[in-house]
Amino acid sequence: MPYVNIKITREGATAEQKAALIEGVTRLLQETLNKNPATTFVVIDEVDTDNWGIGGESVTVRRQRDTG
Amino acid sequence: MPYVNIKITREGATAEQKAALIEGVTRLLQETLNKNPATTFVVIDEVDTDNWGIGGESVTVRRQRDTG
Amino acid sequence: MPYVNIKITREGATAEQKAALIEGVTRLLQETLNKNPATTFVVIDEVDTDNWGIGGESVTVRRQRDTG
Amino acid sequence: MPYVNIKITREGATAEQKAALIEGVTRLLQETLNKNPATTFVVIDEVDTDNWGIGGESVTVRRQRDTG
Amino acid sequence: MPYVNIKITREGATAEQKAALIEGVTRLLQETLNKNPATTFVVIDEVDTDNWGIGGESVTVRRQRDTG
Amino acid sequence: MPYVNIKITREGATAEQKAALIEGVTRLLQETLNKNPATTFVVIDEVDTDNWGIGGESVTVRRQRDTG
């Protein structure tokens, strides 16, 4: 009965990509720790780039500088 | 001073239902562990069904199959 | 399929009290949102009082002052 | 490589204020524990006031009463 | 820069198994969303079975009944 | 009423350093968003280095290589 929370920036992940993350993490836990997929939760949180910081800056600022 | 985080899928929970969860959890912590309601936090996160997986599938896919 | 995380300070909650929290929260979600207990997760985290702050102080410091 | 999650109610925090939180927390961790800003994550979650409870009530209800 | 939190019950996962989870999730995020491993965090929390509930019961109680 | 969760690796942070984190984050939220310290929670989680991954490896492995 694992609970997996994946936080990523909100930058256009598609439903198919999120489905691939859910399927892949569930299979990984089954193969690695023999966890039952039926009671494996995967929750994906998408976070606005203003709300995610690394290196003391928001991702918004970093993206603007990178594409400046 | 408990902190309770309730994650549910975003499927139409009303303000009244969320208020009932907040009240019920706060009362439960007071009755069970004598925790002070004034410093009991309850945070409810509603998650899109594309972003919640169980059994290796998203809830969106499961709901579509169940109502197919 | 709710996921509920309850964070409390590590101050002697017994197995019975934690069982009561698990049972109570699960029942509350069933009664309030018709959630299936079989896929309702409740995870309790107990946190050392040095590691929990309120009012800018650790709970350890506050407890010492209260019982000083 | 700290991970810091700041949850606040969704009540109009500006991009500048959130940038100040990111910068301040990152600097605090560098000064206090010598953590490398380049691998310090700060994630800010803004929560609707219907979804945040304190004292057994939602913040929405409390705000309405305070400004009633 | 994803942050992944994996919560499992504390039931003997080895350092090698946890390393496999870290490596697998990091590779999955790289392959699925082109995320940079160097800024992908994976944090594994192991939870006592008294502190994890499903179906309104603790995992401790369920394990005892299953092996009773 | 902010809730702040700080996750760091378990590598010897002292009670004084954790107190400094609690005080600093609480002051930052007061100065930046005018949040009331009396209802600001700060919870610090210390994670074993086997249980924290970056770059697809556990911090234990990286520390051993760095000091090899």
Side-chain angles (χ1 to χ4, degrees), chain C residues 7 50-56, chain F residues 3 18 37 40-44 46:
Chain C
K7 286 190 191 295
D50 276 359
N51 289 35
W52 193 302
I54 181 170
Chain F
Y3 168 76
K18 291 185 276 192
T40 295
F41 284 6
V42 180
V43 171
I44 300 168
E46 296 174 83

Side-chain angles (χ1 to χ4, degrees), chain B residues 2 4 23-37 40, chain C residues 6 8 11-28 42 44 46, chain E residues 50:
Chain B
V4 181
E23 193 278 328
V25 165
T26 304
R27 185 158 36 80
L28 176 66
L29 281 156
Q30 185 175 27
E31 291 169 356
T32 308
L33 290 174
N34 196 29
K35 296 295 186 183
N36 180 356
T40 294
Chain C
I6 301 174
I8 53 175
E11 297 186 279
T14 65
E16 290 69 28
Q17 289 173 316
K18 291 184 276 191
L21 290 179
I22 290 168
E23 192 279 329
V25 164
T26 304
R27 185 159 35 80
L28 176 65
V42 181
I44 300 169
E46 296 174 84
Chain E
D50 275 359

Side-chain angles (χ1 to χ4, degrees), chain A residues 3 15 18-19 22-23 26 37-38 40-46, chain B residues 5 7 47-59 62:
Chain A
Y3 169 75
K18 291 185 275 193
I22 290 169
E23 192 279 328
T26 303
T40 295
F41 285 5
V42 181
V43 171
I44 301 168
D45 292 322
E46 296 175 83
Chain B
N5 179 219
K7 286 191 192 293
V47 177
D48 293 341
T49 56
D50 275 359
N51 289 33
W52 194 301
I54 180 169
E57 297 176 303
S58 74
V59 170
R62 296 168 71 92

Side-chain angles (χ1 to χ4, degrees), chain A residues 14-28:
Chain A
T14 65
E16 291 70 27
Q17 289 172 317
K18 291 185 275 193
L21 291 179
I22 290 169
E23 192 279 328
V25 164
T26 303
R27 184 158 38 79
L28 176 65

Side-chain angles (χ1 to χ4, degrees), chain C residues 14-67:
Chain C
T14 65
E16 290 69 28
Q17 289 173 316
K18 291 184 276 191
L21 290 179
I22 290 168
E23 192 279 329
V25 164
T26 304
R27 185 159 35 80
L28 176 65
L29 281 156
Q30 185 176 25
E31 290 169 358
T32 308
L33 290 174
N34 195 29
K35 296 295 187 184
N36 179 357
T39 50
T40 294
F41 285 4
V42 181
V43 171
I44 300 169
D45 292 323
E46 296 174 84
V47 178
D48 292 339
T49 56
D50 276 359
N51 289 35
W52 193 302
I54 181 170
E57 296 176 303
S58 75
V59 170
T60 304
V61 167
R62 296 168 70 91
R63 294 283 189 257
Q64 285 163 352
R65 192 173 55 227
D66 295 349
T67 61

